[in-house]
Amino acid sequence: MMFTKCDSMLPRTLISLFLLPVLSAEPCAKTPGSNCKCETPSGIKIDLSPLDQSGTPRFTTVDPSNGDTYYYNPCSAFTIPGSACADVAACQKQKSGNYWRIGLQDTANFTGDTTDPTKIHLVYHAQQKPGVRQTNIALECSDSTTPDFKFVNQDPPGKGNFHFTLKWSQLCYKSSGLSAGSVLCIIFLVLVIVYFVGGILFLHFVRGATGAELIPNNSFWKDLPYLIRDGFTFVSNGCKIETTYDKI
């Protein structure tokens, strides 16, 4: 009986292990003491320090739709003399001549994860009346050793959320080892093999099972499609349990 109780938990355990790799991610945590470096748990590193230009903006890009100019420098802050952009990471100069701070170095934050090379973003923000302005830079892999910084859009329009891309060969990161998701996938596959092969051998030689009865936890796997269907029905009904009453 003890084996039966433990054995009945195996399918649920395997399904849980299957979901873990799917939900796992490789976030890039900012390196302490740096505004332009991050590292993932598996050892992937992103380092923008070679692009830093102390005291002045390394990159300049223009919004072709209205002529506004944007300045950006990774790592260290810069100041544009005679403007509102003092000690900033990113600055906007409108065609009218007005300057706006759109990002400070100490607010730098890496978002997304390295499981998808298009997901890593470096985000800055700055308090600027009438509200907070934000700079969102998508870090993308490129064959070119020359970095390319370009304005993408302001989305939504007029709300102070500015989007850019930074393409560079040094952003084609590779893992130095297996990610957490890869390790979980390997464990999952090994357990699946052990579960089915071991279960079939046990049921055949110990219990004398044949045919479909050789499948471990046969009744659970038969019921699984119906359990999935019931789960979808439950969610589609707003997670409400349907109740029925017999007529009196």
Coordinates of all heavy atoms in Angstrom, one line a residue, residues 85-171:
C85 N 20.0 69.4 -18.6 CA 20.5 68.0 -18.6 C 21.9 68.1 -17.8 O 23.0 68.3 -18.4 CB 20.7 67.5 -20.0 SG 19.2 67.2 -20.8
A86 N 21.8 67.9 -16.5 CA 23.0 67.9 -15.7 C 23.1 66.6 -15.0 O 22.1 66.1 -14.4 CB 23.0 69.1 -14.6
D87 N 24.2 65.9 -15.1 CA 24.5 64.6 -14.4 C 23.4 63.6 -14.8 O 22.7 63.0 -14.0 CB 24.5 64.7 -12.9 CG 25.7 65.6 -12.4 OD1 26.7 65.5 -13.1 OD2 25.5 66.4 -11.5
V88 N 23.2 63.4 -16.1 CA 22.2 62.5 -16.7 C 22.8 61.3 -17.4 O 24.0 61.4 -17.8 CB 21.2 63.3 -17.6 CG1 20.5 64.4 -16.8 CG2 22.0 63.8 -18.8
A89 N 22.0 60.3 -17.7 CA 22.4 59.2 -18.6 C 21.9 59.5 -20.0 O 22.5 59.0 -20.9 CB 21.9 57.9 -18.0
A90 N 20.7 60.1 -20.0 CA 20.0 60.4 -21.3 C 19.4 61.7 -21.3 O 18.8 62.2 -20.2 CB 19.0 59.3 -21.7
C91 N 19.4 62.4 -22.4 CA 18.8 63.8 -22.5 C 18.1 63.9 -23.8 O 18.5 63.4 -24.9 CB 19.9 64.8 -22.4 SG 19.5 66.5 -22.6
Q92 N 17.0 64.7 -23.8 CA 16.3 65.1 -25.0 C 16.4 66.6 -25.3 O 16.2 67.4 -24.4 CB 14.8 64.7 -24.8 CG 13.9 65.2 -26.0 CD 12.4 65.2 -25.7 OE1 12.0 65.3 -24.5 NE2 11.6 65.0 -26.7
K93 N 16.8 66.9 -26.5 CA 16.8 68.3 -26.9 C 15.7 68.5 -28.0 O 15.8 67.9 -29.1 CB 18.1 68.7 -27.5 CG 18.2 70.2 -28.0 CD 19.5 70.5 -28.7 CE 19.4 71.9 -29.2 NZ 20.7 72.3 -30.0
Q94 N 14.7 69.2 -27.7 CA 13.6 69.4 -28.6 C 14.0 70.4 -29.7 O 15.0 71.2 -29.5 CB 12.3 69.9 -27.9 CG 11.7 68.9 -27.0 CD 10.5 69.5 -26.3 OE1 10.5 70.6 -25.9 NE2 9.4 68.6 -26.2
K95 N 13.4 70.3 -30.9 CA 13.8 71.2 -32.0 C 13.6 72.6 -31.6 O 14.3 73.5 -32.1 CB 12.9 70.8 -33.2 CG 13.4 71.4 -34.5 CD 12.5 71.0 -35.7 CE 13.1 71.5 -37.0 NZ 12.3 71.0 -38.1
S96 N 12.7 72.9 -30.6 CA 12.5 74.3 -30.2 C 13.7 74.8 -29.3 O 13.8 76.0 -29.0 CB 11.2 74.4 -29.3 OG 11.4 73.5 -28.2
G97 N 14.6 73.9 -28.9 CA 15.7 74.3 -28.1 C 15.6 73.9 -26.6 O 16.6 74.1 -25.9
N98 N 14.5 73.4 -26.2 CA 14.3 73.0 -24.8 C 15.0 71.6 -24.5 O 14.9 70.7 -25.4 CB 12.8 72.9 -24.5 CG 12.1 74.2 -24.5 OD1 12.7 75.2 -24.1 ND2 10.8 74.2 -25.0
Y99 N 15.6 71.5 -23.3 CA 16.2 70.3 -22.9 C 15.4 69.6 -21.8 O 14.9 70.3 -21.0 CB 17.7 70.5 -22.4 CG 18.7 70.9 -23.5 CD1 18.8 72.2 -23.9 CD2 19.5 69.9 -24.0 CE1 19.7 72.5 -24.9 CE2 20.5 70.2 -25.0 CZ 20.6 71.5 -25.4 OH 21.5 71.8 -26.4
W100 N 15.4 68.3 -21.9 CA 14.7 67.5 -20.9 C 15.5 66.3 -20.4 O 16.1 65.6 -21.3 CB 13.3 67.0 -21.4 CG 12.4 68.0 -21.8 CD1 12.3 68.6 -23.1 CD2 11.4 68.7 -21.1 NE1 11.3 69.6 -23.1 CE2 10.7 69.6 -21.9 CE3 11.0 68.5 -19.7 CZ2 9.7 70.4 -21.5 CZ3 9.9 69.3 -19.3 CH2 9.3 70.3 -20.1
R101 N 15.6 66.1 -19.1 CA 16.3 64.9 -18.6 C 15.3 63.7 -18.8 O 14.1 63.8 -18.4 CB 16.6 65.1 -17.1 CG 17.5 66.2 -16.8 CD 17.8 66.3 -15.3 NE 16.6 66.4 -14.5 CZ 16.5 66.1 -13.2 NH1 17.6 65.7 -12.5 NH2 15.4 66.2 -12.5
I102 N 15.8 62.7 -19.4 CA 15.0 61.5 -19.6 C 15.6 60.2 -19.0 O 15.1 59.1 -19.3 CB 14.7 61.3 -21.1 CG1 16.0 61.1 -21.9 CG2 13.9 62.4 -21.7 CD1 15.7 60.7 -23.4
G103 N 16.6 60.4 -18.2 CA 17.2 59.2 -17.6 C 18.4 59.6 -16.7 O 19.3 60.3 -17.2
L104 N 18.5 59.0 -15.5 CA 19.6 59.2 -14.6 C 20.4 57.9 -14.4 O 19.8 56.9 -14.4 CB 19.2 59.8 -13.2 CG 18.3 61.1 -13.3 CD1 17.9 61.5 -11.9 CD2 19.1 62.2 -14.0
Q105 N 21.7 58.0 -14.3 CA 22.5 56.8 -14.2 C 22.1 55.9 -13.0 O 22.1 54.7 -13.1 CB 24.0 57.2 -14.1 CG 24.6 57.7 -15.4 CD 24.7 56.6 -16.5 OE1 24.4 55.4 -16.2 NE2 25.1 57.0 -17.6
D106 N 21.8 56.5 -11.8 CA 21.6 55.7 -10.7 C 20.2 55.0 -10.7 O 19.9 54.3 -9.8 CB 21.7 56.5 -9.4 CG 20.8 57.7 -9.3 OD1 19.9 57.9 -10.2 OD2 20.9 58.5 -8.3
T107 N 19.4 55.3 -11.8 CA 18.1 54.6 -11.9 C 18.3 53.4 -12.9 O 17.2 52.7 -13.2 CB 17.0 55.5 -12.4 OG1 17.4 56.0 -13.7 CG2 16.9 56.7 -11.5
A108 N 19.4 53.2 -13.4 CA 19.6 52.1 -14.4 C 19.2 50.8 -13.9 O 19.5 50.4 -12.8 CB 21.1 52.0 -14.9
N109 N 18.4 50.1 -14.8 CA 17.9 48.7 -14.4 C 17.7 47.8 -15.6 O 17.2 48.3 -16.6 CB 16.5 48.9 -13.7 CG 16.0 47.6 -13.2 OD1 16.7 46.8 -12.6 ND2 14.7 47.3 -13.4
F110 N 18.3 46.6 -15.5 CA 18.2 45.7 -16.6 C 16.9 44.9 -16.4 O 16.6 44.4 -15.3 CB 19.4 44.7 -16.6 CG 20.7 45.4 -17.0 CD1 21.5 46.0 -16.1 CD2 21.1 45.4 -18.4 CE1 22.7 46.6 -16.5 CE2 22.3 45.9 -18.8 CZ 23.1 46.6 -17.8
T111 N 16.1 44.8 -17.5 CA 14.9 44.0 -17.4 C 14.9 43.0 -18.5 O 15.6 43.0 -19.4 CB 13.6 44.9 -17.6 OG1 13.7 45.5 -18.9 CG2 13.6 46.1 -16.6
G112 N 13.9 42.0 -18.3 CA 13.8 40.9 -19.3 C 14.8 39.8 -18.9 O 15.3 39.7 -17.8
D113 N 15.0 38.8 -19.8 CA 15.9 37.7 -19.5 C 16.6 37.3 -20.8 O 16.2 37.5 -21.9 CB 15.1 36.6 -18.8 CG 14.2 35.9 -19.8 OD1 14.6 35.0 -20.6 OD2 13.0 36.2 -19.8
T114 N 17.7 36.6 -20.6 CA 18.6 36.2 -21.7 C 18.2 34.9 -22.4 O 18.9 34.5 -23.3 CB 20.0 36.1 -21.2 OG1 20.1 35.2 -20.1 CG2 20.6 37.4 -20.7
T115 N 17.0 34.3 -22.0 CA 16.6 33.2 -22.8 C 16.1 33.6 -24.2 O 16.0 32.8 -25.0 CB 15.4 32.5 -22.0 OG1 14.4 33.4 -21.8 CG2 15.9 31.9 -20.7
D116 N 15.9 34.9 -24.3 CA 15.5 35.4 -25.7 C 16.4 36.6 -25.9 O 16.3 37.6 -25.2 CB 14.0 35.8 -25.7 CG 13.6 36.3 -27.1 OD1 14.4 36.7 -27.9 OD2 12.4 36.3 -27.3
P117 N 17.3 36.6 -26.9 CA 18.2 37.7 -27.1 C 17.5 39.1 -27.4 O 18.1 40.1 -27.4 CB 19.0 37.3 -28.4 CG 18.9 35.8 -28.4 CD 17.5 35.5 -27.8
T118 N 16.2 39.1 -27.6 CA 15.5 40.3 -27.9 C 14.8 40.9 -26.7 O 14.1 41.9 -26.7 CB 14.4 40.1 -29.0 OG1 13.4 39.2 -28.5 CG2 15.0 39.5 -30.2
K119 N 15.0 40.2 -25.5 CA 14.2 40.6 -24.3 C 15.0 41.5 -23.3 O 14.4 42.0 -22.4 CB 13.8 39.4 -23.6 CG 12.6 38.7 -24.2 CD 12.1 37.5 -23.4 CE 10.9 36.8 -24.0 NZ 10.4 35.7 -23.2
I120 N 16.3 41.6 -23.5 CA 17.0 42.4 -22.5 C 16.9 43.9 -22.8 O 17.2 44.3 -23.9 CB 18.5 42.0 -22.5 CG1 18.7 40.6 -21.8 CG2 19.4 43.0 -21.7 CD1 18.3 40.6 -20.4
H121 N 16.5 44.7 -21.8 CA 16.4 46.1 -22.0 C 17.1 46.8 -20.8 O 17.1 46.3 -19.7 CB 14.9 46.6 -22.0 CG 14.1 46.1 -23.2 ND1 13.7 47.0 -24.1 CD2 13.8 44.9 -23.6 CE1 13.0 46.3 -25.1 NE2 13.1 45.0 -24.8
L122 N 17.7 48.0 -21.1 CA 18.3 48.8 -20.0 C 17.4 50.0 -19.9 O 17.2 50.8 -20.9 CB 19.7 49.2 -20.4 CG 20.5 50.0 -19.4 CD1 20.5 49.3 -18.0 CD2 21.9 50.2 -19.9
V123 N 16.8 50.2 -18.7 CA 15.8 51.2 -18.5 C 16.3 52.3 -17.5 O 16.9 51.9 -16.5 CB 14.5 50.6 -18.0 CG1 13.4 51.6 -17.7 CG2 14.0 49.5 -18.9
Y124 N 16.1 53.5 -17.8 CA 16.4 54.7 -16.9 C 15.1 55.5 -16.8 O 14.2 55.5 -17.6 CB 17.5 55.6 -17.5 CG 18.7 54.9 -17.9 CD1 18.9 54.3 -19.2 CD2 19.9 54.9 -17.1 CE1 20.1 53.7 -19.6 CE2 21.1 54.3 -17.5 CZ 21.2 53.7 -18.7 OH 22.3 53.1 -19.1
H125 N 15.1 56.3 -15.7 CA 14.0 57.3 -15.6 C 14.5 58.5 -14.9 O 15.6 58.5 -14.2 CB 12.8 56.7 -14.9 CG 13.0 56.3 -13.5 ND1 13.4 55.0 -13.1 CD2 13.0 57.1 -12.3 CE1 13.5 55.0 -11.8 NE2 13.3 56.2 -11.3
A126 N 13.8 59.6 -15.0 CA 14.1 60.9 -14.4 C 12.9 61.7 -14.1 O 11.9 61.7 -14.9 CB 15.0 61.7 -15.3
Q127 N 12.9 62.2 -12.9 CA 11.7 63.1 -12.4 C 11.8 64.4 -13.1 O 12.8 65.1 -13.0 CB 11.8 63.3 -10.9 CG 10.5 63.9 -10.4 CD 9.3 63.0 -10.4 OE1 9.4 61.8 -10.2 NE2 8.1 63.6 -10.8
Q128 N 10.8 64.7 -13.9 CA 10.8 65.9 -14.7 C 9.4 66.4 -14.9 O 8.5 65.7 -15.4 CB 11.4 65.6 -16.1 CG 11.6 66.8 -17.0 CD 12.8 67.6 -16.7 OE1 13.9 67.2 -16.9 NE2 12.7 68.9 -16.2
K129 N 9.1 67.6 -14.4 CA 7.8 68.1 -14.5 C 7.3 68.1 -16.0 O 8.1 68.4 -16.9 CB 7.7 69.5 -14.0 CG 7.9 69.6 -12.5 CD 7.8 71.1 -12.0 CE 8.0 71.2 -10.5 NZ 7.9 72.5 -10.0
P130 N 6.1 67.6 -16.2 CA 5.0 67.4 -15.2 C 5.0 65.9 -14.7 O 4.0 65.6 -14.1 CB 3.7 67.7 -16.1 CG 4.1 67.2 -17.5 CD 5.6 67.6 -17.6
G131 N 6.0 65.1 -15.0 CA 5.9 63.8 -14.5 C 7.3 63.1 -14.7 O 8.3 63.7 -15.0
V132 N 7.3 61.7 -14.6 CA 8.5 61.0 -14.8 C 8.7 60.7 -16.3 O 7.8 60.3 -17.0 CB 8.4 59.7 -14.0 CG1 9.7 58.8 -14.3 CG2 8.3 59.9 -12.5
R133 N 9.9 60.9 -16.8 CA 10.3 60.5 -18.1 C 11.2 59.3 -18.1 O 12.0 59.1 -17.2 CB 11.0 61.7 -18.8 CG 10.1 62.8 -19.0 CD 10.7 64.0 -19.8 NE 9.7 65.0 -20.2 CZ 9.5 65.5 -21.4 NH1 10.2 65.1 -22.4 NH2 8.5 66.4 -21.6
Q134 N 11.0 58.4 -19.1 CA 11.7 57.1 -19.1 C 12.4 56.8 -20.4 O 11.9 57.1 -21.5 CB 10.7 56.0 -18.8 CG 11.3 54.6 -18.7 CD 10.3 53.5 -18.3 OE1 10.0 53.4 -17.1 NE2 9.8 52.8 -19.2
T135 N 13.6 56.2 -20.3 CA 14.3 55.8 -21.4 C 14.4 54.3 -21.4 O 14.9 53.7 -20.4 CB 15.8 56.4 -21.4 OG1 15.7 57.8 -21.6 CG2 16.6 55.8 -22.5
N136 N 14.0 53.6 -22.5 CA 14.0 52.2 -22.6 C 14.9 51.8 -23.8 O 14.6 52.1 -24.9 CB 12.6 51.7 -22.8 CG 12.6 50.2 -22.7 OD1 13.3 49.4 -23.3 ND2 11.6 49.7 -21.9
I137 N 16.0 51.2 -23.5 CA 17.0 50.8 -24.6 C 17.0 49.3 -24.8 O 17.4 48.5 -23.8 CB 18.4 51.3 -24.2 CG1 18.4 52.8 -24.0 CG2 19.4 50.9 -25.3 CD1 19.7 53.4 -23.5
A138 N 16.6 48.8 -25.9 CA 16.7 47.4 -26.2 C 18.1 47.0 -26.7 O 18.6 47.6 -27.6 CB 15.7 47.1 -27.4
L139 N 18.7 46.1 -26.0 CA 20.1 45.7 -26.2 C 20.0 44.5 -27.2 O 19.5 43.4 -26.9 CB 20.8 45.3 -24.9 CG 20.8 46.4 -23.9 CD1 21.5 45.9 -22.6 CD2 21.4 47.7 -24.3
E140 N 20.5 44.7 -28.4 CA 20.4 43.7 -29.5 C 21.7 43.3 -30.1 O 22.7 44.1 -30.2 CB 19.5 44.2 -30.6 CG 18.1 44.6 -30.1 CD 17.2 45.0 -31.2 OE1 17.6 45.0 -32.4 OE2 16.1 45.5 -31.0
C141 N 21.8 42.0 -30.4 CA 23.0 41.4 -31.0 C 23.2 42.0 -32.5 O 22.2 42.2 -33.2 CB 22.9 39.9 -31.1 SG 24.2 39.1 -32.0
S142 N 24.4 42.2 -32.8 CA 24.7 42.7 -34.2 C 26.1 42.1 -34.6 O 26.9 41.8 -33.8 CB 24.8 44.2 -34.2 OG 25.3 44.7 -35.5
D143 N 26.3 41.9 -35.9 CA 27.6 41.5 -36.5 C 28.6 42.6 -36.4 O 29.8 42.3 -36.5 CB 27.4 41.0 -37.9 CG 26.5 39.7 -38.0 OD1 26.5 39.0 -37.0 OD2 25.9 39.5 -39.0
S144 N 28.2 43.8 -36.3 CA 29.1 44.9 -36.3 C 29.8 45.2 -35.0 O 29.2 45.1 -34.0 CB 28.4 46.2 -36.8 OG 29.2 47.3 -36.7
T145 N 31.1 45.4 -35.1 CA 31.8 45.8 -33.9 C 31.7 47.3 -33.5 O 32.1 47.7 -32.4 CB 33.3 45.5 -34.1 OG1 33.8 46.2 -35.2 CG2 33.6 44.0 -34.3
T146 N 31.0 48.0 -34.4 CA 30.7 49.4 -34.2 C 29.3 49.5 -33.6 O 28.4 49.1 -34.3 CB 30.8 50.3 -35.4 OG1 32.1 50.1 -36.0 CG2 30.5 51.7 -35.2
P147 N 29.1 50.0 -32.4 CA 27.8 50.1 -31.8 C 26.9 51.1 -32.5 O 27.4 52.1 -33.0 CB 28.1 50.6 -30.4 CG 29.4 51.3 -30.4 CD 30.2 50.6 -31.5
D148 N 25.6 50.7 -32.6 CA 24.7 51.5 -33.4 C 23.5 51.9 -32.4 O 22.8 51.0 -32.0 CB 24.2 50.8 -34.6 CG 23.2 51.6 -35.4 OD1 23.3 52.8 -35.4 OD2 22.3 51.0 -36.1
F149 N 23.3 53.1 -32.1 CA 22.3 53.6 -31.2 C 21.3 54.4 -32.0 O 21.7 55.4 -32.6 CB 22.9 54.4 -30.1 CG 21.9 55.0 -29.1 CD1 21.3 54.1 -28.1 CD2 21.6 56.3 -29.1 CE1 20.4 54.6 -27.2 CE2 20.7 56.8 -28.2 CZ 20.1 56.0 -27.2
K150 N 20.0 54.0 -31.9 CA 19.0 54.7 -32.7 C 17.7 54.9 -31.9 O 17.3 54.1 -31.1 CB 18.7 53.9 -34.0 CG 19.7 53.9 -35.1 CD 19.3 53.2 -36.4 CE 20.4 53.4 -37.4 NZ 20.0 52.7 -38.7
F151 N 17.0 56.0 -32.3 CA 15.7 56.3 -31.7 C 14.7 55.5 -32.4 O 14.7 55.3 -33.6 CB 15.4 57.8 -31.9 CG 14.0 58.2 -31.5 CD1 13.7 58.5 -30.2 CD2 13.0 58.2 -32.5 CE1 12.4 58.8 -29.8 CE2 11.7 58.6 -32.1 CZ 11.4 58.9 -30.8
V152 N 13.7 54.9 -31.6 CA 12.7 54.1 -32.2 C 11.4 54.8 -32.2 O 10.8 55.1 -33.3 CB 12.5 52.7 -31.4 CG1 11.3 51.9 -32.0 CG2 13.8 51.9 -31.5
N153 N 10.9 55.2 -31.0 CA 9.6 56.0 -30.9 C 9.4 56.5 -29.5 O 10.2 56.1 -28.6 CB 8.4 55.1 -31.4 CG 8.2 53.9 -30.6 OD1 8.6 53.7 -29.4 ND2 7.6 52.9 -31.2
Q154 N 8.4 57.2 -29.4 CA 7.9 57.6 -28.1 C 6.5 57.0 -27.9 O 5.6 57.3 -28.6 CB 7.7 59.1 -27.9 CG 7.3 59.6 -26.5 CD 7.2 61.1 -26.4 OE1 6.8 61.6 -25.3 NE2 7.6 61.8 -27.4
D155 N 6.4 56.0 -27.0 CA 5.2 55.2 -27.0 C 4.8 55.0 -25.5 O 5.5 54.5 -24.7 CB 5.5 53.8 -27.6 CG 4.3 52.9 -27.7 OD1 3.2 53.5 -27.7 OD2 4.4 51.7 -27.7
P156 N 3.5 55.4 -25.2 CA 2.6 56.1 -26.1 C 3.0 57.6 -26.4 O 3.8 58.2 -25.6 CB 1.3 56.1 -25.3 CG 1.7 56.0 -23.9 CD 2.9 55.2 -23.9
P157 N 2.6 58.1 -27.5 CA 3.0 59.5 -27.9 C 2.7 60.5 -26.9 O 1.6 60.5 -26.3 CB 2.2 59.7 -29.2 CG 1.9 58.4 -29.7 CD 1.7 57.5 -28.5
G158 N 3.7 61.4 -26.6 CA 3.5 62.5 -25.7 C 3.5 62.1 -24.2 O 3.3 63.0 -23.4
K159 N 3.8 60.9 -23.9 CA 3.8 60.5 -22.5 C 5.2 60.4 -21.8 O 5.3 60.0 -20.7 CB 3.1 59.1 -22.3 CG 1.6 59.1 -22.8 CD 0.8 60.1 -21.9 CE -0.6 60.1 -22.3 NZ -1.4 61.1 -21.5
G160 N 6.2 60.7 -22.6 CA 7.6 60.7 -22.0 C 8.2 59.4 -21.9 O 9.2 59.2 -21.1
N161 N 7.8 58.4 -22.6 CA 8.4 57.0 -22.6 C 9.1 56.9 -24.0 O 8.5 56.6 -25.0 CB 7.4 55.9 -22.4 CG 6.7 56.0 -21.1 OD1 7.4 56.3 -20.1 ND2 5.4 55.8 -21.0
F162 N 10.5 57.0 -23.9 CA 11.3 57.0 -25.1 C 12.0 55.6 -25.3 O 12.6 55.1 -24.4 CB 12.3 58.1 -25.1 CG 11.7 59.5 -24.8 CD1 11.6 60.0 -23.5 CD2 11.2 60.2 -25.9 CE1 11.1 61.2 -23.3 CE2 10.7 61.4 -25.7 CZ 10.6 62.0 -24.4
H163 N 11.8 55.1 -26.5 CA 12.4 53.8 -26.9 C 13.5 53.9 -27.9 O 13.4 54.6 -28.9 CB 11.3 52.9 -27.4 CG 10.2 52.6 -26.4 ND1 10.2 51.4 -25.7 CD2 9.1 53.3 -26.0 CE1 9.1 51.4 -24.9 NE2 8.5 52.6 -25.0
F164 N 14.6 53.1 -27.6 CA 15.8 53.2 -28.5 C 16.3 51.7 -28.6 O 15.9 50.8 -27.9 CB 16.9 54.0 -27.8 CG 16.5 55.4 -27.5 CD1 15.9 55.7 -26.3 CD2 16.8 56.4 -28.4 CE1 15.6 57.0 -25.9 CE2 16.4 57.7 -28.0 CZ 15.8 58.0 -26.8
T165 N 17.2 51.5 -29.6 CA 17.9 50.3 -29.8 C 19.4 50.5 -29.7 O 19.8 51.5 -30.2 CB 17.5 49.5 -31.1 OG1 17.9 50.4 -32.2 CG2 16.1 49.2 -31.1
L166 N 20.1 49.6 -29.1 CA 21.6 49.6 -29.1 C 22.0 48.3 -29.7 O 21.8 47.3 -29.0 CB 22.1 49.9 -27.7 CG 23.7 49.8 -27.6 CD1 24.3 50.8 -28.6 CD2 24.1 50.1 -26.2
K167 N 22.6 48.3 -30.9 CA 23.0 47.1 -31.5 C 24.5 47.1 -31.5 O 25.2 48.0 -31.9 CB 22.5 47.0 -33.0 CG 20.9 47.0 -33.0 CD 20.4 46.9 -34.4 CE 18.9 46.9 -34.5 NZ 18.4 46.8 -35.9
W168 N 25.1 45.9 -31.1 CA 26.6 45.8 -31.0 C 26.9 44.3 -30.9 O 26.2 43.5 -30.4 CB 27.0 46.5 -29.7 CG 28.4 46.7 -29.4 CD1 29.4 46.8 -30.4 CD2 29.1 46.7 -28.2 NE1 30.6 47.0 -29.8 CE2 30.5 46.9 -28.4 CE3 28.6 46.6 -26.9 CZ2 31.4 46.9 -27.4 CZ3 29.5 46.6 -25.8 CH2 30.9 46.8 -26.1
S169 N 28.1 44.0 -31.5 CA 28.6 42.6 -31.5 C 28.8 42.0 -30.1 O 28.6 40.8 -29.9 CB 29.9 42.5 -32.3 OG 30.9 43.3 -31.8
Q170 N 29.1 42.9 -29.1 CA 29.4 42.4 -27.8 C 28.1 42.1 -27.0 O 28.1 41.6 -25.9 CB 30.2 43.4 -27.0 CG 31.6 43.7 -27.6 CD 32.4 42.4 -27.6 OE1 32.5 41.7 -26.6 NE2 32.9 42.1 -28.8
L171 N 27.0 42.3 -27.7 CA 25.7 41.9 -27.1 C 25.2 40.6 -27.5 O 24.1 40.2 -27.2 CB 24.6 43.0 -27.4 CG 24.9 44.4 -26.7 CD1 23.9 45.4 -27.2 CD2 24.9 44.3 -25.2

